[in-house]
């Protein structure tokens, strides 16, 4: 297809019945194929159709998240919420035909065996019986999105979205920062009954889906829906234990040092934990356009491949980064298959997060630009490692705050893992006990805060956060159950690459590209092995990165920085 800009990409609602007929016809043609050549031709035809369906669904979803108040795309998003689960029935019939194909060995020889392993997992996630639950699940996650996007929080004479309030939550003025946290917490408290209801309905829906498919509850189904193909619940539990053993003590020491720098008592309030330095957190030294321009310089100088990639992203307007009214929260990267391009969605708000979008989400986009994505935890390695690749260019992003940024970026990478692991642990408890009341769920979160984040003071001073209710701002808990541990596994690998960068940049880049170029050709643990990287499920991996990173932080020169 031609090189259109994002706004030029046409969207028209498809005929759902015609799509179903096309999918059924292709499945019948595959079953009737008299040779591998004929079967492959049908396979490629189905790939083209699937890409077109995904393109239309993605355009509707992205344009809806850019402005959740847009009536046209709100209705289109609703259309896809209903149609996608219905199409899944036809997709599953295709998958069964592929698995039963007499030419399976020929397909495996040309396309690899992973496609069939993933197909077998996909079959375990669906039956037509759960279509109503899937449709309702889509509607509820959209309702959550719109609720979060609708926030209009009065603060110091202005009115802000949740994203726009963020700079005040990390500002150096203690009174203002605390007030911002209270204002945000107050909004969540005001909408707590809606947030409780949406999540309660989601938990019961998912539990019902699991039971209808023959599982004890949602957890096993949740793992299959995440496409987990090389590790299970026992591996995640082992990783969690290693986080508690090695990382929580390191994170505690980081926050103890922070409390000393700030002149605050330990443990810290949520508002004080958000301030890394007495003089303020690192801030970008330019506006959004400056960040993108310096991002181009970074990618130009990093490699020829990254240079061409980021130039294309900017020229074709494949980044929507400003925080605007009505825009959905968070940030993501997705692909638009018909045009063979990625798209980056973000909410710039004047914090260091803005720079991390240009490195993190663009790390995802770079992988999508090179080849097909692997599984989720494997994808997050591309993005989190790219953040560390950008360190030699940090001064152009942060100016006088560069040293602050390098220290806080590494510290945040370490302290994030206990939080992310807690998000995963929380969800395991929730889906094991789906009939808990909202108050009981909040109690579980509060208890886990004491285990994974003992540096936080739970005194009830800041609404929602200090009462074990802060999980409701984590959209993944609502929208993508069991996704969050993927960030933690990937952050562990990214810290391995960071450690390599301290010794030999060339080797680190070669390992990164050796990992990235494999795309989705292998399972996560094999991708790592092929690139000479340790698995995060190996206890030694977490222990080593903790020791290396703690030593770096302990010896980093913060002279002259308050």
């Amino acid at each position: 297809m031609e090189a259109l800009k994002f706004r030029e990409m046409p969207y028209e609602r498809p005929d759902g019945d015609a799509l179903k007929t096309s999918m059924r016809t292709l499945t019948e043609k595959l079953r009737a194929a008299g040779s591998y050549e004929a079967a492959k031709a049908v396979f490629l035809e189905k790939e083209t159709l699937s890409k077109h369906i995904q393109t239309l669904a993605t355009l509707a979803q992205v344009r809806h998240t850019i402005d959740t108040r847009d009536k046209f795309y709100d209705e289109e998003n609703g259309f896809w919420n209903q149609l996608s689960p219905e199409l899944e029935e036809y997709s599953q019939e295709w998958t069964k035909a592929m698995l039963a194909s007499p030419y399976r060995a020929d397909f495996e020889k040309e396309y690899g065996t992973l496609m069939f392993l993933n197909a077998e997992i996909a079959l375990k996630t669906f039956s037509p019986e759960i279509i109503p639950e899937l449709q309702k699940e889509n509607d509820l996650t959209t309702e959550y999105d719109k609720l979060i996007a609708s926030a209009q929080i009065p603060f110091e004479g202005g009115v802000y979205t949740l994203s726009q309030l963020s700079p005040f939550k990390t500002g150096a003025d203690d009174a203002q920062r605390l007030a911002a946290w209270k204002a945000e917490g107050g909004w969540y408290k005001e909408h707590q009954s809606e947030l409780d209801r949406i999540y309660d309905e989601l938990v019961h829906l998912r539990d019902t889906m699991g039971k209808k498919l023959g599982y004890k509850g949602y957890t096993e189904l949740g793992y299959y829906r995440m496409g987990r193909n090389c590790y299970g619940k026992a591996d995640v539990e082992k990783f969690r234990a290693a986080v508690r053993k090695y990382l929580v003590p390191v994170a505690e020491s980081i926050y103890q040092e922070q409390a000393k720098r700030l002149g605050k008592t330990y443990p810290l309030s949520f508002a004080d934990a958000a301030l890394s330095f007495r003089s303020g957190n690192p801030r970008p030294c330019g506006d959004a356009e400056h960040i993108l321009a310096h991002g181009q310089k970074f990618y130009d100088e990093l490699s020829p491949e990254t240079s061409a990639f980021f130039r294309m992203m900017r020229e074709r307007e494949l980044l929507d980064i400003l925080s605007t009214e009505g825009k959905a929260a968070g940030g993501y990267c997705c692909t638009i298959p018909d045009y063979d391009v990625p798209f980056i969605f973000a909410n710039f708000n004047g914090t260091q997060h803005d720079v991390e979008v240009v490195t993190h989400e663009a790390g995802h986009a770079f992988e999508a630009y090179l080849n097909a994505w692997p599984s989720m935890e494997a994808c997050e390695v591309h993005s989190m490692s790219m953040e560390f690749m950008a360190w030699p260019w940090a001064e152009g992003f942060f100016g006088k705050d560069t040293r602050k940024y390098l220290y806080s970026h590494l510290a945040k990478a370490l302290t994030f893992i206990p939080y992310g692991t807690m998000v995963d642990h929380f969800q395991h408890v929730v889906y094991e006990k789906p009939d808990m009341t909202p108050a009981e769920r909040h109690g579980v979160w509060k208890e886990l805060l004491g285990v994974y984040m003992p540096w936080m003071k739970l005194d009830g001073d800041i609404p929602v956060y200090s009462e074990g209710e802060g999980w409701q701002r984590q959209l993944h808990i609502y929208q993508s159950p069991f996704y969050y541990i993927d960030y933690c596994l990937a952050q562990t690998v990214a810290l391995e690459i960071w450690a390599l960068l301290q010794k030999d940049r060339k080797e680190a880049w070669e390992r990164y590209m050796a990992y990235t170029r494999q795309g989705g050709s292998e399972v996560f643990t094999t991708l790592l092995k092929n690139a000479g990287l340790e698995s995060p499920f190996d206890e030694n991996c977490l222990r080593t990165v903790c020791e290396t990173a703690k030593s770096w932080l302990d010896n980093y020169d913060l002279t002259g920085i308050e």
Side-chain angles (χ1 to χ4, degrees):
M1 292 225 180
E2 58 185 306
L4 298 178
K5 293 182 176 179
F6 176 71
R7 61 187 154 86
E8 298 167 338
M9 293 174 185
Y11 172 82
E12 188 177 6
R13 181 186 288 194
D15 179 332
D17 290 335
L19 290 179
K20 291 172 188 175
T21 300
S22 296
M23 290 171 78
R24 187 190 297 118
T25 303
L26 287 169
T27 302
E28 287 164 1
K29 279 171 72 177
L30 178 69
R31 287 185 176 130
S35 67
Y36 175 58
E37 287 67 32
K40 181 181 168 182
V42 180
F43 170 74
L44 293 174
E45 205 181 328
K46 167 67 166 55
E47 285 289 288
T48 300
L49 177 64
S50 296
K51 282 170 74 169
H52 187 57
I53 293 170
Q54 191 187 335
T55 294
L56 294 176
T58 300
L59 286 172
Q61 189 253 337
V62 170
R63 288 171 178 163
H64 169 67
T65 55
I66 287 170
D67 185 358
T68 58
R69 305 164 306 172
D70 182 307
K71 189 172 186 295
F72 176 78
Y73 282 110
D74 184 37
E75 287 177 1
E76 292 312 295
N77 193 62
F79 165 78
W80 285 101
N81 279 353
Q82 298 305 302
L83 179 64
S84 295
E86 292 172 7
L87 291 179
E88 186 62 28
E89 182 175 354
Y90 296 84
S91 179
Q92 292 266 319
E93 286 306 308
W94 167 267
T95 300
K96 287 175 190 171
M98 277 293 287
L99 288 169
S101 171
Y103 311 108
R104 175 168 170 171
D106 300 284
F107 277 114
E108 288 181 338
K109 191 174 176 185
E110 185 164 355
Y111 295 101
T113 57
L114 186 59
M115 174 170 83
F116 288 95
L117 171 62
N118 289 338
E120 285 165 355
I121 290 171
L123 281 186
K124 296 176 180 180
T125 66
F126 179 82
S127 90
E129 206 183 345
I130 67 167
I131 288 175
E133 284 82 10
L134 289 167
Q135 291 173 327
K136 180 66 174 168
E137 181 185 38
N138 286 341
D139 287 342
L140 286 166
T141 56
T142 296
E143 187 183 351
Y144 174 81
D145 248 353
K146 288 165 83 169
L147 176 61
I148 297 298
S150 74
Q152 292 287 283
I153 302 170
F155 185 72
E156 295 191 347
V159 178
Y160 301 90
T161 65
L162 287 162
S163 175
Q164 290 165 346
L165 194 66
S166 291
F168 300 108
K169 287 175 63 196
T170 55
D173 182 300
D174 285 352
Q176 184 190 57
R177 190 174 66 259
L178 179 60
W181 275 83
K182 287 184 172 179
E184 186 202 50
W187 184 86
Y188 279 103
K189 198 74 183 165
E190 198 180 314
H191 294 87
Q192 191 172 57
S193 60
E194 293 161 86
L195 291 163
D196 281 339
R197 174 189 57 76
I198 293 169
Y199 192 61
D200 195 62
E201 287 187 39
L202 282 168
V203 169
H204 284 102
L205 265 180
R206 289 168 180 154
D207 183 60
T208 300
M209 283 193 269
K211 285 171 179 165
K212 279 189 175 183
L213 291 175
Y215 305 116
K216 280 192 283 188
Y218 180 71
T219 305
E220 194 174 352
L221 171 60
Y223 271 58
Y224 289 139
R225 286 177 87 188
M226 285 302 302
R228 303 255 156 92
N229 53 22
C230 64
Y231 65 93
K233 187 166 171 265
D235 299 295
V236 171
E237 285 169 357
K238 185 182 166 192
F239 177 79
R240 277 196 232 133
V243 168
R244 293 192 294 268
K245 183 175 176 181
Y246 299 113
L247 243 179
V248 170
V250 172
E252 276 198 278
S253 69
I254 289 169
Y255 280 107
Q256 282 161 353
E257 285 303 309
Q258 184 172 319
K260 284 181 203 166
R261 285 199 303 276
L262 300 180
K264 299 287 183 181
T265 55
Y266 181 90
L268 294 159
S269 73
F270 282 82
D272 290 337
L275 182 67
S276 297
F277 298 97
R278 185 63 276 174
S279 54
N281 285 5
R283 297 278 195 241
C285 59
D287 60 10
E289 198 44 56
H290 169 84
I291 290 170
L292 289 180
H294 189 63
Q296 185 67 63
K297 178 177 163 62
F298 157 50
Y299 287 116
D300 283 345
E301 293 173 4
L302 183 62
S303 77
E305 299 100 325
T306 50
S307 174
F309 144 72
F310 202 65
R311 204 161 291 284
M312 180 277 297
M313 294 290 290
R314 296 181 73 204
E315 285 168 0
R316 294 177 65 181
E317 299 171 6
L318 295 164
L319 304 101
D320 191 288
I321 56 172
L322 299 179
S323 185
T324 51
E325 201 176 314
K327 192 172 185 178
Y332 60 78
C333 175
C334 59
T335 51
I336 308 172
D338 276 354
Y339 304 95
D340 205 18
V341 293
F343 182 87
I344 291 173
F345 170 97
N347 279 277
F348 273 28
N349 53 27
T351 66
Q352 74 186 62
H353 166 266
D354 299 354
V355 173
E356 287 157 11
V357 165
V358 170
T359 54
H360 181 101
E361 298 300 347
H364 284 309
F366 178 55
E367 162 63 26
Y369 168 80
L370 284 181
N371 46 32
W373 275 351
S375 51
M376 291 298 192
E377 69 291 305
C379 280
E380 295 300 341
V381 174
H382 308 127
S383 51
M384 289 172 155
S385 301
M386 189 64 89
E387 293 178 33
F388 290 126
M389 292 292 172
W391 272 26
W393 290 267
E395 195 160 352
F397 288 121
F398 290 99
K400 64 181 176 57
D401 279 357
T402 301
R403 280 197 299 147
K404 275 188 190 178
Y405 171 71
L406 296 178
Y407 180 91
S408 67
H409 184 213
L410 182 60
K412 274 177 65 182
L414 290 163
T415 58
F416 163 76
I417 295 175
Y419 168 75
T421 307
M422 175 175 69
V423 169
D424 180 73
H425 195 152
F426 172 73
Q427 292 179 94
H428 277 82
V429 176
V430 164
Y431 289 108
E432 277 161 22
K433 301 175 181 175
D435 294 324
M436 282 194 293
T437 64
E440 285 169 334
R441 289 188 195 115
H442 299 316
V444 170
W445 183 259
K446 191 166 186 174
E447 187 182 329
L448 290 174
L449 274 167
V451 174
Y452 288 96
M453 298 174 70
W455 50 86
M456 289 300 198
K457 185 167 60 175
L458 303 178
D459 56 3
D461 190 32
I462 300 170
V464 169
Y465 286 96
S466 301
E467 297 152 23
E469 298 156 4
W471 61 270
Q472 295 190 315
R473 57 159 289 283
Q474 191 60 67
L475 60 88
H476 303 71
I477 293 176
Y478 285 79
Q479 296 179 333
S480 309
F482 298 122
Y483 183 172
Y484 223 66
I485 198 67
D486 295 6
Y487 290 116
C488 305
L489 299 170
Q491 185 70 274
T492 306
V493 178
L495 285 164
E496 264 191 83
I497 291 174
W498 167 84
L500 271 174
L501 281 164
Q502 308 316 301
K503 295 178 193 167
D504 185 337
R505 279 198 66 80
K506 185 171 178 289
E507 187 193 343
W509 177 248
E510 283 169 2
R511 295 257 193 110
Y512 177 82
M513 287 303 287
Y515 176 85
T516 304
R517 280 200 181 97
Q518 296 174 80
S521 62
E522 301 284 355
V523 300
F524 175 50
T525 47
T526 306
L527 293 175
L528 293 172
K529 191 177 176 184
N530 290 348
L533 295 164
E534 278 191 293
S535 164
F537 297 115
D538 179 347
E539 191 174 324
N540 183 59
C541 177
L542 203 53
R543 184 176 65 231
T544 306
V545 296
C546 280
E547 286 169 2
T548 310
K550 185 176 188 318
S551 172
W552 189 94
L553 290 171
D554 288 347
N555 292 293
Y556 191 67
D557 182 13
L558 290 174
T559 308
I561 297 175
E562 292 179 355

